[in-house]
Amino acid sequence: MTPDPYASARETTEGTVYSVTGGDWDSVVTEIGATKEERVVVNMGPQHPSTHGVLRLILELEGETVTETRCGIGYLHTGIEKNCEYRTWTQGVTFVTRMDYLAPLFNEAAYCIGVEKLLGITNDVTERASVIRVLMMELNRISSHMVALGTGALELGALSPMIFAFRERELVLDIFEMVSGLRMNMAYIRPGGVAQDLPEHATSKIRETVKELRINFKDNAKILIGNTIWLKRTKDIGILDLAGCTTLGITGPVLRATGMPWDLRKTQPYCGYENYNFDVITADTSDVYGRFLIRMNELEQSLRIIEQACDKLDVLKGQPVMVADKKIAWPSQLALGGDGLGNSLNHIREIMGTSMESLIHHFKLVTEGFRVPAGQVYSTVESPRGELGVHLISDGGTRPYRVHFREPSFNNLQSTAAMCEGSQIADIVGAVASIDPVMGGVDR
Amino acid sequence: MSHDKTLNKGAFGVSGTGDTSGYGGLVRSNAKPGSSERPFGSYFDEVADELERAFPEFNDAIEKVIVDRDELTLHVKAAHLFETATKLRDTETLRFEQCMGVSGAHYPEEKNRELHAIYHLLSMTHNRRIRIEVSIPDANPHLPSLVEVWAGCNWNERETFDMFGIIFDGHPALTRILMPDDWPGHPQRKDYPLGGIDVEYIGAVVPPPSDRREYQ
């Protein structure tokens, strides 16, 4: 066999190191076969198509059995927590929305609930603002679960579910675009409320989308639920029981797959979740299939909440979406201009043409920001991946003293070793996909 | 709850001339809520009582109890951290079976208490949350690792070590986790600059955020 120019091998103190770039596996296997070495250390990622992002897995193999798993993370570390300390409390929203990029609205909501708690204005947030937050979060849960299901299936070799999942996600992103102007990283939820009210006829458009989604979800359900190949790849794979979840601090679908009905929307409600009818979905198999089923069934629950939120919004039409306190509320509503989303023209006219006081007020609030009384809080929301906690410390200034995100992806990813060791190498992909880690959230 | 009164003056906290240009010598204040007195309210009294009953050295181990914004914070001495954590987890009436994470904080002006480690605990059994805060000197930044109590603290402690330089004794593999292995310094400390490069925009130069004029 002619030596493959891409599958180079070199000797180190640890043994022979092979570089595998794809398509050249045969030549490596031939060479390894000659050495009679059973133990192989495989470095999977960080640029591997099936590691769910820039996750690096270091696997020790004996044959095809994984004896040790380690995760290498940090490839997407952007120092968002540190950056937040140099910006106002409001600007922080723009940063944190970029952490877990599949669930931006949850990052924003958790952060804003924390800031409001620090300010002591939790009860001043208007009902309409809270309902809009719930509506947007549940839509986001759908779009996030769609990526989890689609890419999870793709990584296990099923292409069609991904096509369907991204079709559904597009519908949700269209609503985000209609409401906030952006499909991702919208910085829509702000301390004190939301950036702007829903556009006219938004609820009827959302209701139509809900109908469409409900029909579309059946496509993926038909393909995957009970599918023999899918069952073989997911059933009894990546098992983590309740004790394991508890000690590892695992939350979200992975915890609920052990039969534990722990959902912060029910157990520690925020944003008025206690006023909605929905069920907490659990499974009792503790495996990849259970987590998959939970995500599938949570879609329907999210749709139920969205419908109820739309009904509430129709009743609450005309209510403000920002706290009344002008020293906290962003001075202007946003509006779509010829050059994109910006301050509304009416507001610009007022501050530039008629009212010097408005200009000063706008200038102070936008450049300096509001002060937040000293202290610390920990606020939580149930993100698609579990408990998203925000630890905020204020020193009384206009900028955070410390922002820390307790990312569910970060904590849940720790369970990789517990789920994978002793299993086949092919099952690692399924197990990691079922944790649904988003590396933007893991590394922050 | 006892806040420093100076913090609540005026909407923007203006004092003196009200100059916010950044050149008025305004000083950043750092007054934190003080110690709380009983009754704490909510379930906090019960937690404190139960911990006191289960833990003979309670008065020795707990420096102060703060109830602020409906959250309970126990300030624990570093030497008693492991024991306190074990009691909080194992006592049936407390049962904080999950540690949601370890967060650090750096207060360079607090002499001999510069580094704080903050643990958020959750009891799913009783649906309660509390916070444990430990402060240690920068000169000797050692804390007992809680990986044996809550295995999930593993990565969180590595992150806090990475970002603040707190050394968790007894951790199975305390290495950097987010920053590269050979990175110098601990980025989340207050004396570590944010860094960045100047940005030129239509002829004007905008310095990186950490070098810009500050509103305090």
Side-chain angles (χ1 to χ4, degrees):
Chain A
M1 195 173 185
T2 50
D4 191 322
Y6 297 106
S8 60
R10 66 180 197 281
E11 296 300 323
T12 68
T13 48
E14 301 291 314
T16 316
V17 172
Y18 300 92
S19 298
V20 185
T21 53
D24 46 12
W25 191 242
D26 284 343
S27 53
V28 175
V29 170
T30 322
E31 268 201 61
I32 293 175
T35 59
K36 290 184 184 143
E37 173 76 74
E38 282 293 315
R39 182 175 149 275
V40 180
V41 182
V42 170
N43 185 25
M44 188 170 161
Q47 298 292 346
H48 194 276
S50 64
T51 53
H52 229 81
V54 279
L55 169 66
R56 179 181 169 206
L57 293 168
I58 303 148
L59 312 169
E60 267 197 43
L61 307 176
E62 279 197 30
E64 274 201 62
T65 309
V66 181
T67 55
E68 206 182 316
T69 313
R70 272 172 293 159
C71 292
I73 61 170
Y75 295 95
L76 222 50
H77 179 61
T78 44
I80 289 177
E81 291 180 356
K82 178 92 173 170
N83 265 298
C84 284
E85 294 168 15
Y86 291 87
R87 307 285 179 158
T88 66
W89 290 93
T90 310
Q91 285 174 315
V93 177
T94 319
F95 272 110
V96 302
T97 189
R98 282 159 172 77
M99 288 183 169
D100 180 345
Y101 43 78
L102 293 183
L105 287 154
F106 291 91
N107 303 342
E108 295 168 17
Y111 175 81
C112 291
I113 290 169
V115 176
E116 284 153 11
K117 214 168 164 188
L118 272 172
L119 285 163
I121 59 164
T122 307
N123 294 329
D124 299 339
V125 178
T126 62
E127 197 185 343
R128 186 169 171 87
S130 287
V131 177
I132 293 177
R133 284 179 180 184
V134 169
L135 172 78
M136 295 294 273
M137 278 195 280
E138 291 309 320
L139 284 165
N140 200 172
R141 193 183 309 277
I142 291 175
S143 71
S144 174
H145 277 357
M146 278 294 122
V147 176
L149 291 167
T151 58
L154 184 68
E155 284 158 8
L156 290 179
L159 193 67
S160 306
M162 189 273 283
I163 304 286
F164 287 135
F166 275 74
R167 177 188 67 186
E168 268 75 282
R169 181 166 182 265
E170 256 345 272
L171 294 174
V172 175
L173 296 192
D174 285 346
I175 297 177
F176 288 161
E177 193 175 352
M178 173 183 73
V179 171
S180 72
L182 295 162
R183 288 152 55 87
M184 292 175 77
N185 306 334
M186 39 297 257
Y188 177 69
I189 298 173
R190 303 275 178 91
V194 295
Q196 58 181 341
D197 204 349
L198 297 179
E200 198 90 15
H201 312 304
T203 48
S204 55
K205 167 86 174 82
I206 293 170
R207 281 201 186 90
E208 275 170 34
T209 308
V210 167
K211 265 186 216 153
E212 203 177 338
L213 286 173
R214 195 165 267 144
I215 296 164
N216 287 358
F217 285 157
K218 288 182 187 142
D219 288 334
N220 260 348
K222 270 186 217 156
I223 290 187
L224 293 174
I225 295 176
N227 177 326
T228 317
I229 304 170
W230 185 249
L231 281 171
K232 284 204 164 158
R233 291 305 306 273
T234 57
K235 202 109 184 89
D236 298 326
I237 302 294
I239 287 181
L240 190 68
D241 62 2
L242 180 58
C245 285
T246 308
T247 188
L248 285 166
I250 309 292
T251 45
V254 181
L255 176 66
R256 288 196 285 277
T258 66
M260 177 83 184
W262 183 261
D263 188 324
L264 294 175
R265 293 177 291 175
K266 281 278 189 216
T267 54
Q268 300 176 355
Y270 50 91
C271 290
Y273 263 110
E274 62 273 24
N275 304 321
Y276 297 83
N277 288 322
F278 66 99
D279 301 325
V280 176
I281 307 295
T282 56
D284 55 3
T285 49
S286 309
D287 61 359
V288 176
Y289 190 65
R291 290 162 210 150
F292 154 75
L293 279 185
I294 286 176
R295 292 203 176 92
M296 286 296 263
N297 292 325
E298 277 185 356
L299 297 173
E300 170 57 26
Q301 301 306 319
S302 288
L303 290 181
R304 280 176 69 189
I305 298 174
I306 291 165
E307 284 172 332
Q308 293 168 51
C310 283
D311 293 345
K312 282 179 204 279
L313 285 173
D314 286 344
V315 176
L316 297 168
K317 212 169 186 105
Q319 260 202 20
V321 293
M322 208 16 122
V323 286
D325 188 347
K326 289 289 175 206
K327 300 296 181 192
I328 290 168
W330 197 250
S332 74
Q333 287 273 297
L334 299 176
L336 194 62
D339 55 348
L341 202 64
N343 288 323
S344 77
L345 280 178
N346 284 338
H347 180 71
I348 303 281
R349 210 168 289 129
E350 190 196 343
I351 62 172
M352 299 308 284
T354 59
S355 170
M356 173 65 101
E357 288 73 23
S358 291
L359 177 65
I360 296 171
H361 177 78
H362 180 106
F363 180 75
K364 291 271 288 182
L365 203 55
V366 172
T367 59
E368 184 183 345
F370 50 76
R371 285 179 168 248
V372 172
Q376 59 181 334
V377 293
Y378 181 72
S379 62
T380 53
V381 300
E382 181 75 28
S383 95
R385 278 160 273 286
E387 171 171 327
L388 175 65
V390 182
H391 178 220
L392 297 172
I393 305 180
S394 172
D395 64 350
T398 56
R399 289 166 304 174
Y401 191 76
R402 166 97 169 115
V403 178
H404 176 68
F405 268 61
R406 185 266 177 211
E407 261 290 336
S409 299
F410 181 80
N411 272 57
N412 292 4
L413 197 57
Q414 280 192 85
S415 62
T416 312
M419 284 185 192
C420 297
E421 285 177 8
S423 71
Q424 300 273 294
I425 184 167
D427 294 337
I428 286 185
V429 175
V432 171
S434 77
I435 300 170
D436 187 25
V438 174
M439 299 316 286
V442 174
D443 297 339
R444 285 153 287 142
Chain B
M1 195 171 100
S2 59
H3 283 300
D4 189 332
K5 289 279 188 304
T6 57
L7 284 172
N8 298 327
K9 247 190 251 167
F12 295 103
V14 173
S15 58
T17 62
D19 169 32
T20 56
S21 63
Y23 298 103
L26 295 178
V27 182
R28 178 178 269 236
S29 61
N30 191 9
K32 291 194 284 293
S35 220
S36 306
E37 299 294 324
R38 275 172 190 272
F40 302 136
S42 190
Y43 55 81
F44 304 145
D45 291 287
E46 215 175 305
V47 171
D49 288 343
E50 291 299 338
L51 185 61
E52 210 165 345
R53 200 169 304 144
F55 192 25
E57 294 111 88
F58 179 85
N59 289 323
D60 200 25
I62 311 289
E63 290 177 328
K64 57 179 171 180
V65 181
I66 296 177
V67 176
D68 179 40
R69 295 175 173 91
D70 298 326
E71 291 180 13
L72 175 72
T73 310
L74 300 175
H75 282 256
V76 182
K77 282 185 190 150
H80 295 278
L81 176 63
F82 189 86
E83 222 176 324
T84 313
T86 315
K87 286 277 185 273
L88 284 169
R89 185 194 65 176
D90 292 343
T91 311
E92 208 175 325
T93 43
L94 295 166
R95 197 64 88 205
F96 287 93
E97 66 273 89
Q98 277 201 333
C99 177
M100 302 320 287
V102 186
S103 168
H106 186 210
Y107 298 98
E109 73 290 345
E110 285 185 26
K111 284 281 157 276
N112 284 325
R113 307 169 58 89
E114 288 95 347
L115 293 168
H116 290 218
I118 300 134
Y119 302 80
H120 290 100
L121 307 185
L122 168 69
S123 166
M124 292 193 290
T125 310
H126 302 291
N127 200 8
R128 290 169 176 171
R129 284 180 193 279
I130 62 164
R131 175 189 297 123
I132 299 182
E133 189 162 344
V134 200
S135 38
I136 47 170
D138 196 5
N140 182 29
H142 285 269
L143 269 180
S145 167
L146 296 186
V147 175
E148 271 179 49
V149 187
W150 296 289
C153 285
N154 190 327
W155 281 19
N156 289 295
E157 286 180 357
R158 281 176 66 192
E159 188 191 340
T160 310
F161 161 72
D162 195 354
M163 293 298 160
F164 291 93
I166 297 176
I167 297 162
F168 293 91
D169 297 322
H171 189 285
L174 194 68
T175 52
R176 286 189 185 271
I177 185 164
L178 294 178
M179 304 303 286
D181 289 342
D182 54 354
W183 192 266
H186 301 283
Q188 291 261 10
R189 289 193 185 209
K190 288 288 172 188
D191 51 11
Y192 191 101
L194 180 67
I197 55 165
D198 292 344
V199 177
E200 200 172 311
Y201 181 69
I202 323 181
V205 174
V206 182
S210 55
D211 297 341
R212 282 179 210 161
R213 193 181 71 192
E214 291 187 358
Y215 298 106
Q216 295 284 350

